[in-house]
Amino acid sequence: QVQLVESGGGLVQAGGSLRLSCAASGRTVSRHVIGWFRQSPGKEREFVAAISWSEDIKGSADSVKGRFTISRDRAKATVYLQMNSLKPEDTAVYLCAAGLKSTLVATARGYDYWGQGIQVTVSS
């Protein structure tokens, strides 16, 4: 079992920044890839970024490249998503997830455990 808790969301103006945190715990957490996804009402869950604890897997979606950066702190078992130059279309519930399927890191079905999600709202 892996437990995930997101924090750091909120309301920000367009052009602003937020940093999301995903605190992971569980006996097997070090074996899992951690991913960030987002979901808006009426839309499918969208991949944002993913990272492994060894960083041999690290990547992000084209829609956020150059603006969002994923990183991890192994000692704290926490994955961060630094979001800069935020746009209104980035508004969504952001969820972190943990999965063992390294070949499916950009799809929701590659993940077995999910956090509850946190709201990010970008005003224009």
Side-chain angles (χ1 to χ4, degrees), residues 31-106:
R31 294 166 50 195
H32 288 73
V33 174
I34 305 296
W36 282 100
F37 287 76
R38 63 187 182 186
Q39 189 160 22
S40 304
K43 292 188 178 180
E44 288 191 1
R45 195 163 289 187
E46 176 190 11
F47 170 73
V48 176
I51 192 168
S52 62
W53 295 105
S54 62
E55 291 196 347
D56 58 343
I57 294 173
K58 187 174 182 180
S60 59
D62 288 343
S63 58
V64 304
K65 267 192 173 71
R67 300 189 299 123
F68 292 11
T69 302
I70 191 168
S71 62
R72 89 301 183 255
D73 183 327
R74 294 181 73 163
K76 295 182 179 179
T78 299
V79 172
Y80 302 100
L81 186 68
Q82 178 66 45
M83 306 186 295
N84 298 329
S85 302
L86 282 160
K87 305 174 182 180
E89 51 264 44
D90 294 318
T91 295
V93 172
Y94 283 71
L95 307 101
C96 69
L100 291 170
K101 304 176 183 70
S102 60
T103 57
L104 297 174
V105 295

